[in-house]
Amino acid sequence: MSIAAPIAVAIGPYHHHHRASPQLMAMEDSKRAAKEEFCRRVAMMASQSQPEVEAAVREKMLSLAGSARKCYAGDWTIDRMSHESLAEMMFLDGCFLLQFMVSMFPDDPNAPPELDPLMSRAEVHTCIDAIARDVMLFENQIPWAVLQALMEMRPGVPVDRFLTLMASAFHVAANDDDDKAASLSSGASATTGAGGEPNDHGDPPPPHLLGLFHRRQVGAAHTQSLRVPWLSSRSTTAVELAEMGVKLTASKTNKFGDMSMEKRRRPWPWQLSLAPMVLNNLTACWLTNMAAYEACLGATQADNFAVSSYVCVLSCLVNREEDVKELRGKGIINSTFSDMGTLVFFKGAAQDLRVGHRYYEVFQALHKYRQERWLWIAVHSFLYRNYKTIVTVLSIAGVLAGLFKTILSLRHHQ
């Protein structure tokens, strides 16, 4: 799976050698401005001088350099970096990430943008989407422990509000206002649990910002396991589901992990629910990187492949442009790509992805539906494929019946 390189800001050591490019070099100045603002804010709260705060933060970053280095796979760029260089990089990149979140949700929304240390810079306020894209790249992360240490010195960073705003990029237009309202009304409580401590569900601290974003997009983990995973060799597309009488519908939670094939009440005895999403260049990039993160996690935790399973299910459902149209019509996919472009994305993204039990559950339930409802499927498929012809025949029959009745009435008068 190809993982895109950053185009606006490089975070962490993997793309350190790319920082000499003009686009990424411009953002290095913004990082230094964010560091200055961080030290100024902490100095004001702690009643210390900025040089004292900067020295204390640098010392803290240096103490984390050894553990931070272990978070990255062996790479010649990282191996050549000293602890001091790595600590300085974490200092700059961490301050930039936190300040970017603060700048997106300033304490005073009415404050002039020119007073903001980041939004006042052209390379930032003209590249918001590109920066948002880059901070969720799998190879563009720094350890959460670094962000946690910085947030302990500078409390009040609106991590949850920021992630809520990022999540709204996946949601269809009908949900955008609700998501933005939730993010703007969350207030001071939005940072609760953002420091990386286990939450009410007992989840451990995330490894990085992408890991936290992935956790909120997937939803609660499914802990049950399948003793004998079974996968049908028969492909079932979105159009075929409609022919079989399976209702394809958008789930209400917008969580990629909440996919299900369930028995429902009549007239739709079975229903396949999938999270609705907006597909564009930004969300396609995030989907790919969340799947890459799952591949890195492997099977170390229960059901780590929720996003990968979601992508693979959609890949199975689309074999033709008509299938994409069916998904659009059911509100599952709202894509800025063409029907063919959407088809190509899911087919390409699903290659070599590992799947979890959610994926198997869907196809096991579909196999069970085929076995139990074979007669209903045959009847419904015939009616679905020929309903236009049936309606036409019934209309003609109605006209003929009316005409015949009129003739009989005239003959009766005579």
Side-chain angles (χ1 to χ4, degrees):
M1 176 188 300
S2 60
I3 304 174
I7 57 177
V9 58
I11 304 292
Y14 280 131
H15 295 282
H16 180 70
H17 56 289
H18 291 153
R19 299 186 185 208
S21 68
Q23 295 86 351
L24 301 184
M25 181 64 73
M27 206 60 68
E28 294 299 305
D29 291 335
S30 297
K31 290 181 182 180
R32 285 185 279 272
K35 185 188 78 170
E36 290 295 322
E37 174 62 18
F38 178 89
C39 293
R40 184 195 69 80
R41 181 67 179 262
V42 174
M44 182 178 64
M45 291 188 296
S47 299
Q48 294 178 314
S49 66
Q50 284 190 227
E52 290 176 331
V53 170
E54 185 169 342
V57 177
R58 188 169 280 111
E59 182 179 354
K60 181 63 176 179
M61 294 296 101
L62 190 58
S63 69
L64 295 173
S67 59
R69 188 186 297 273
K70 296 177 183 178
C71 295
Y72 299 96
D75 184 88
W76 67 270
T77 304
I78 304 172
D79 293 339
R80 292 177 56 184
M81 294 182 69
S82 65
H83 272 18
E84 290 75 12
S85 298
L86 184 60
E88 187 64 24
M89 176 189 296
M90 298 295 174
F91 190 4
L92 282 172
D93 292 353
C95 288
F96 177 84
L97 276 175
L98 298 186
Q99 184 57 49
F100 182 66
M101 298 181 200
V102 172
S103 296
M104 292 294 289
F105 293 97
D107 295 331
D108 182 6
N110 297 320
E114 55 269 18
L115 299 181
D116 187 278
L118 288 186
M119 294 303 171
S120 60
R121 307 179 70 88
E123 65 269 16
V124 174
H125 73 251
T126 59
C127 298
I128 298 296
D129 286 351
I131 297 173
R133 166 195 179 275
D134 287 353
V135 300
M136 294 302 175
L137 297 182
F138 177 54
E139 292 184 347
N140 218 28
Q141 303 295 314
I142 58 175
W144 185 259
V146 173
L147 295 178
Q148 183 179 3
L150 293 173
M151 285 190 288
E152 289 174 354
M153 300 179 181
R154 201 274 189 219
V157 178
V159 178
D160 286 350
R161 295 172 71 187
F162 176 76
L163 292 181
T164 297
L165 181 62
M166 297 299 101
S168 68
F170 282 109
H171 299 167
V172 295
N175 294 328
D176 282 350
D177 293 338
D178 295 338
D179 291 328
K180 291 178 181 178
S183 66
L184 291 174
S185 64
S186 54
S189 63
T191 56
T192 302
E197 298 300 325
N199 57 24
D200 294 338
H201 302 289
D203 295 326
H208 39 61
L209 187 63
L210 175 63
L212 184 59
F213 185 59
H214 172 272
R215 180 183 296 173
R216 68 168 291 138
Q217 291 305 108
V218 166
H222 292 196
T223 56
Q224 67 266 32
S225 61
L226 296 176
R227 288 174 293 183
V228 183
W230 176 92
L231 180 61
S232 172
S233 60
R234 181 178 176 182
S235 174
T236 303
T237 66
V239 172
E240 289 172 347
L241 285 178
E243 292 178 356
M244 292 164 56
V246 176
K247 183 178 181 181
L248 191 60
T249 184
S251 64
K252 297 179 180 180
T253 65
N254 294 317
K255 303 296 184 184
F256 294 123
D258 291 334
M259 64 174 71
S260 63
M261 175 79 175
E262 297 176 332
K263 197 170 185 177
R264 311 292 289 183
R265 295 180 179 178
R266 297 174 184 270
W268 296 99
W270 285 78
Q271 175 177 289
L272 174 58
S273 299
L274 294 170
M277 67 161 291
V278 172
L279 182 67
N280 52 37
N281 288 324
L282 179 64
T283 57
C285 179
W286 286 351
L287 273 180
T288 302
N289 280 270
M290 283 193 286
Y293 168 61
E294 291 179 342
C296 179
L297 284 178
T300 57
Q301 300 175 18
D303 192 29
N304 283 339
F305 305 105
V307 173
S308 301
S309 297
Y310 175 84
V311 172
C312 287
V313 167
L314 284 176
S315 176
C316 289
L317 292 180
V318 291
N319 279 339
R320 301 170 299 172
E321 293 181 64
E322 289 77 8
D323 297 318
V324 178
K325 288 184 173 67
E326 184 73 17
L327 290 174
R328 289 184 191 269
K330 298 300 183 181
I332 306 295
I333 298 297
N334 187 341
S335 179
T336 61
F337 303 155
S338 65
D339 291 338
M340 180 55 68
T342 303
L343 173 66
V344 169
F345 168 76
F346 282 111
K347 289 299 185 184
Q351 292 181 2
D352 302 323
L353 286 184
R354 297 176 65 182
V355 295
H357 78 271
R358 304 166 197 250
Y359 177 85
Y360 294 118
E361 282 180 346
V362 168
F363 285 94
Q364 284 184 347
L366 187 58
H367 176 69
K368 182 179 179 181
Y369 173 74
R370 283 198 178 103
Q371 288 183 323
E372 293 182 355
R373 307 284 294 184
W374 61 270
L375 182 58
W376 159 259
I377 291 173
V379 173
H380 190 277
S381 295
F382 175 80
L383 295 176
Y384 185 90
R385 294 171 183 172
N386 301 286
Y387 77 94
K388 291 184 178 179
T389 302
I390 294 172
V391 170
T392 301
V393 171
L394 291 177
S395 298
I396 294 174
V399 171
L400 292 176
L403 182 61
F404 185 66
K405 184 177 181 180
T406 301
I407 294 174
L408 288 178
S409 176
L410 291 175
R411 293 186 64 181
H412 180 69
H413 275 295
Q414 291 175 353

mmCIF file of all heavy atoms in Angstrom, residues 219-244:
data_model
loop_
_atom_site.group_PDB
_atom_site.id
_atom_site.type_symbol
_atom_site.label_atom_id
_atom_site.label_comp_id
_atom_site.label_asym_id
_atom_site.label_seq_id
_atom_site.Cartn_x
_atom_site.Cartn_y
_atom_site.Cartn_z
ATOM 1 N N GLY A 219 -14.977 3.302 16.537
ATOM 2 C CA GLY A 219 -15.974 3.008 17.550
ATOM 3 C C GLY A 219 -15.528 1.869 18.443
ATOM 4 O O GLY A 219 -14.368 1.443 18.417
ATOM 5 N N ALA A 220 -16.442 1.348 19.242
ATOM 6 C CA ALA A 220 -16.116 0.300 20.200
ATOM 7 C C ALA A 220 -15.668 -0.969 19.484
ATOM 8 O O ALA A 220 -16.215 -1.350 18.451
ATOM 9 C CB ALA A 220 -17.332 0.003 21.084
ATOM 10 N N ALA A 221 -14.656 -1.615 20.049
ATOM 11 C CA ALA A 221 -14.139 -2.842 19.458
ATOM 12 C C ALA A 221 -15.113 -3.992 19.665
ATOM 13 O O ALA A 221 -15.825 -4.055 20.663
ATOM 14 C CB ALA A 221 -12.785 -3.190 20.076
ATOM 15 N N HIS A 222 -15.153 -4.899 18.678
ATOM 16 C CA HIS A 222 -15.921 -6.130 18.799
ATOM 17 C C HIS A 222 -14.967 -7.210 19.302
ATOM 18 O O HIS A 222 -14.016 -7.562 18.618
ATOM 19 C CB HIS A 222 -16.505 -6.545 17.442
ATOM 20 C CG HIS A 222 -17.554 -5.611 16.945
ATOM 21 N ND1 HIS A 222 -18.421 -5.946 15.934
ATOM 22 C CD2 HIS A 222 -17.893 -4.354 17.317
ATOM 23 C CE1 HIS A 222 -19.244 -4.934 15.698
ATOM 24 N NE2 HIS A 222 -18.929 -3.951 16.525
ATOM 25 N N THR A 223 -15.212 -7.706 20.481
ATOM 26 C CA THR A 223 -14.246 -8.622 21.088
ATOM 27 C C THR A 223 -14.491 -10.082 20.728
ATOM 28 O O THR A 223 -13.633 -10.911 20.936
ATOM 29 C CB THR A 223 -14.289 -8.493 22.626
ATOM 30 O OG1 THR A 223 -15.629 -8.722 23.075
ATOM 31 C CG2 THR A 223 -13.854 -7.107 23.055
ATOM 32 N N GLN A 224 -15.680 -10.407 20.188
ATOM 33 C CA GLN A 224 -15.923 -11.801 19.859
ATOM 34 C C GLN A 224 -15.049 -12.211 18.681
ATOM 35 O O GLN A 224 -14.655 -11.404 17.871
ATOM 36 C CB GLN A 224 -17.394 -12.054 19.541
ATOM 37 C CG GLN A 224 -17.897 -11.379 18.269
ATOM 38 C CD GLN A 224 -18.516 -10.037 18.578
ATOM 39 O OE1 GLN A 224 -18.097 -9.357 19.496
ATOM 40 N NE2 GLN A 224 -19.495 -9.645 17.793
ATOM 41 N N SER A 225 -14.745 -13.491 18.604
ATOM 42 C CA SER A 225 -13.899 -13.993 17.527
ATOM 43 C C SER A 225 -14.611 -15.122 16.803
ATOM 44 O O SER A 225 -15.498 -15.777 17.345
ATOM 45 C CB SER A 225 -12.566 -14.506 18.082
ATOM 46 O OG SER A 225 -12.788 -15.571 18.991
ATOM 47 N N LEU A 226 -14.203 -15.363 15.582
ATOM 48 C CA LEU A 226 -14.772 -16.446 14.798
ATOM 49 C C LEU A 226 -13.828 -17.640 14.863
ATOM 50 O O LEU A 226 -12.649 -17.516 14.557
ATOM 51 C CB LEU A 226 -14.954 -16.004 13.335
ATOM 52 C CG LEU A 226 -15.946 -14.858 13.113
ATOM 53 C CD1 LEU A 226 -15.938 -14.460 11.645
ATOM 54 C CD2 LEU A 226 -17.331 -15.270 13.527
ATOM 55 N N ARG A 227 -14.357 -18.774 15.266
ATOM 56 C CA ARG A 227 -13.493 -19.941 15.386
ATOM 57 C C ARG A 227 -13.067 -20.453 14.014
ATOM 58 O O ARG A 227 -11.935 -20.875 13.829
ATOM 59 C CB ARG A 227 -14.216 -21.046 16.157
ATOM 60 C CG ARG A 227 -14.365 -20.751 17.630
ATOM 61 C CD ARG A 227 -15.213 -21.786 18.331
ATOM 62 N NE ARG A 227 -16.604 -21.741 17.871
ATOM 63 C CZ ARG A 227 -17.571 -22.485 18.356
ATOM 64 N NH1 ARG A 227 -17.321 -23.356 19.315
ATOM 65 N NH2 ARG A 227 -18.803 -22.395 17.893
ATOM 66 N N VAL A 228 -13.982 -20.438 13.053
ATOM 67 C CA VAL A 228 -13.657 -20.890 11.707
ATOM 68 C C VAL A 228 -14.118 -19.816 10.725
ATOM 69 O O VAL A 228 -15.268 -19.847 10.267
ATOM 70 C CB VAL A 228 -14.335 -22.242 11.378
ATOM 71 C CG1 VAL A 228 -13.910 -22.725 9.991
ATOM 72 C CG2 VAL A 228 -13.995 -23.274 12.436
ATOM 73 N N PRO A 229 -13.292 -18.825 10.432
ATOM 74 C CA PRO A 229 -13.701 -17.794 9.474
ATOM 75 C C PRO A 229 -14.055 -18.421 8.131
ATOM 76 O O PRO A 229 -13.340 -19.275 7.612
ATOM 77 C CB PRO A 229 -12.458 -16.903 9.368
ATOM 78 C CG PRO A 229 -11.696 -17.168 10.616
ATOM 79 C CD PRO A 229 -11.944 -18.597 10.954
ATOM 80 N N TRP A 230 -15.185 -17.980 7.588
ATOM 81 C CA TRP A 230 -15.654 -18.503 6.304
ATOM 82 C C TRP A 230 -15.892 -17.325 5.385
ATOM 83 O O TRP A 230 -16.453 -16.318 5.776
ATOM 84 C CB TRP A 230 -16.940 -19.286 6.505
ATOM 85 C CG TRP A 230 -17.551 -19.791 5.233
ATOM 86 C CD1 TRP A 230 -17.338 -20.996 4.648
ATOM 87 C CD2 TRP A 230 -18.471 -19.102 4.391
ATOM 88 N NE1 TRP A 230 -18.061 -21.114 3.501
ATOM 89 C CE2 TRP A 230 -18.778 -19.950 3.316
ATOM 90 C CE3 TRP A 230 -19.063 -17.837 4.437
ATOM 91 C CZ2 TRP A 230 -19.647 -19.595 2.302
ATOM 92 C CZ3 TRP A 230 -19.932 -17.469 3.424
ATOM 93 C CH2 TRP A 230 -20.216 -18.351 2.359
ATOM 94 N N LEU A 231 -15.459 -17.486 4.152
ATOM 95 C CA LEU A 231 -15.630 -16.408 3.183
ATOM 96 C C LEU A 231 -16.185 -16.984 1.904
ATOM 97 O O LEU A 231 -15.614 -17.908 1.314
ATOM 98 C CB LEU A 231 -14.294 -15.716 2.904
ATOM 99 C CG LEU A 231 -14.332 -14.562 1.888
ATOM 100 C CD1 LEU A 231 -15.258 -13.464 2.393
ATOM 101 C CD2 LEU A 231 -12.945 -14.012 1.659
ATOM 102 N N SER A 232 -17.310 -16.456 1.490
ATOM 103 C CA SER A 232 -17.925 -16.931 0.254
ATOM 104 C C SER A 232 -17.070 -16.534 -0.936
ATOM 105 O O SER A 232 -16.560 -15.417 -1.020
ATOM 106 C CB SER A 232 -19.327 -16.330 0.101
ATOM 107 O OG SER A 232 -19.854 -16.645 -1.166
ATOM 108 N N SER A 233 -16.924 -17.458 -1.856
ATOM 109 C CA SER A 233 -16.169 -17.158 -3.069
ATOM 110 C C SER A 233 -17.032 -16.425 -4.087
ATOM 111 O O SER A 233 -16.530 -15.981 -5.112
ATOM 112 C CB SER A 233 -15.629 -18.456 -3.689
ATOM 113 O OG SER A 233 -16.706 -19.321 -4.016
ATOM 114 N N ARG A 234 -18.308 -16.310 -3.783
ATOM 115 C CA ARG A 234 -19.233 -15.663 -4.699
ATOM 116 C C ARG A 234 -19.328 -14.175 -4.384
ATOM 117 O O ARG A 234 -19.695 -13.774 -3.295
ATOM 118 C CB ARG A 234 -20.612 -16.304 -4.587
ATOM 119 C CG ARG A 234 -21.644 -15.717 -5.537
ATOM 120 C CD ARG A 234 -22.971 -16.441 -5.404
ATOM 121 N NE ARG A 234 -23.996 -15.837 -6.241
ATOM 122 C CZ ARG A 234 -25.251 -16.249 -6.273
ATOM 123 N NH1 ARG A 234 -25.617 -17.281 -5.527
ATOM 124 N NH2 ARG A 234 -26.133 -15.640 -7.050
ATOM 125 N N SER A 235 -19.013 -13.359 -5.350
ATOM 126 C CA SER A 235 -19.068 -11.908 -5.166
ATOM 127 C C SER A 235 -20.511 -11.434 -5.202
ATOM 128 O O SER A 235 -21.337 -11.958 -5.948
ATOM 129 C CB SER A 235 -18.256 -11.210 -6.264
ATOM 130 O OG SER A 235 -18.410 -9.817 -6.177
ATOM 131 N N THR A 236 -20.813 -10.442 -4.375
ATOM 132 C CA THR A 236 -22.154 -9.860 -4.328
ATOM 133 C C THR A 236 -22.029 -8.351 -4.428
ATOM 134 O O THR A 236 -21.448 -7.720 -3.543
ATOM 135 C CB THR A 236 -22.881 -10.242 -3.030
ATOM 136 O OG1 THR A 236 -22.948 -11.662 -2.923
ATOM 137 C CG2 THR A 236 -24.297 -9.683 -3.031
ATOM 138 N N THR A 237 -22.545 -7.767 -5.476
ATOM 139 C CA THR A 237 -22.429 -6.328 -5.677
ATOM 140 C C THR A 237 -23.630 -5.619 -5.081
ATOM 141 O O THR A 237 -24.605 -6.244 -4.648
ATOM 142 C CB THR A 237 -22.339 -6.002 -7.175
ATOM 143 O OG1 THR A 237 -23.582 -6.358 -7.806
ATOM 144 C CG2 THR A 237 -21.199 -6.778 -7.833
ATOM 145 N N ALA A 238 -23.563 -4.295 -5.081
ATOM 146 C CA ALA A 238 -24.658 -3.493 -4.533
ATOM 147 C C ALA A 238 -25.951 -3.716 -5.318
ATOM 148 O O ALA A 238 -27.038 -3.809 -4.737
ATOM 149 C CB ALA A 238 -24.269 -2.018 -4.543
ATOM 150 N N VAL A 239 -25.861 -3.802 -6.642
ATOM 151 C CA VAL A 239 -27.051 -4.042 -7.464
ATOM 152 C C VAL A 239 -27.613 -5.433 -7.193
ATOM 153 O O VAL A 239 -28.830 -5.620 -7.112
ATOM 154 C CB VAL A 239 -26.716 -3.868 -8.957
ATOM 155 C CG1 VAL A 239 -27.881 -4.303 -9.831
ATOM 156 C CG2 VAL A 239 -26.361 -2.401 -9.252
ATOM 157 N N GLU A 240 -26.741 -6.426 -7.022
ATOM 158 C CA GLU A 240 -27.199 -7.787 -6.742
ATOM 159 C C GLU A 240 -27.901 -7.864 -5.388
ATOM 160 O O GLU A 240 -28.865 -8.616 -5.215
ATOM 161 C CB GLU A 240 -26.025 -8.759 -6.796
ATOM 162 C CG GLU A 240 -25.506 -8.994 -8.216
ATOM 163 C CD GLU A 240 -24.223 -9.793 -8.237
ATOM 164 O OE1 GLU A 240 -23.596 -9.959 -7.162
ATOM 165 O OE2 GLU A 240 -23.827 -10.230 -9.322
ATOM 166 N N LEU A 241 -27.413 -7.103 -4.405
ATOM 167 C CA LEU A 241 -28.088 -7.065 -3.109
ATOM 168 C C LEU A 241 -29.518 -6.560 -3.265
ATOM 169 O O LEU A 241 -30.452 -7.097 -2.660
ATOM 170 C CB LEU A 241 -27.320 -6.171 -2.133
ATOM 171 C CG LEU A 241 -26.035 -6.720 -1.523
ATOM 172 C CD1 LEU A 241 -25.408 -5.670 -0.616
ATOM 173 C CD2 LEU A 241 -26.299 -7.990 -0.737
ATOM 174 N N ALA A 242 -29.686 -5.501 -4.062
ATOM 175 C CA ALA A 242 -31.031 -4.968 -4.294
ATOM 176 C C ALA A 242 -31.913 -6.003 -4.981
ATOM 177 O O ALA A 242 -33.089 -6.147 -4.640
ATOM 178 C CB ALA A 242 -30.945 -3.690 -5.128
ATOM 179 N N GLU A 243 -31.359 -6.748 -5.924
ATOM 180 C CA GLU A 243 -32.123 -7.787 -6.607
ATOM 181 C C GLU A 243 -32.537 -8.897 -5.650
ATOM 182 O O GLU A 243 -33.613 -9.481 -5.781
ATOM 183 C CB GLU A 243 -31.299 -8.373 -7.756
ATOM 184 C CG GLU A 243 -31.049 -7.414 -8.906
ATOM 185 C CD GLU A 243 -30.198 -8.035 -9.995
ATOM 186 O OE1 GLU A 243 -29.745 -9.188 -9.799
ATOM 187 O OE2 GLU A 243 -29.965 -7.373 -11.016
ATOM 188 N N MET A 244 -31.669 -9.200 -4.680
ATOM 189 C CA MET A 244 -31.939 -10.281 -3.722
ATOM 190 C C MET A 244 -32.907 -9.861 -2.621
ATOM 191 O O MET A 244 -33.329 -10.685 -1.815
ATOM 192 C CB MET A 244 -30.628 -10.740 -3.083
ATOM 193 C CG MET A 244 -29.682 -11.434 -4.051
ATOM 194 S SD MET A 244 -27.998 -11.544 -3.374
ATOM 195 C CE MET A 244 -28.310 -12.384 -1.824
#
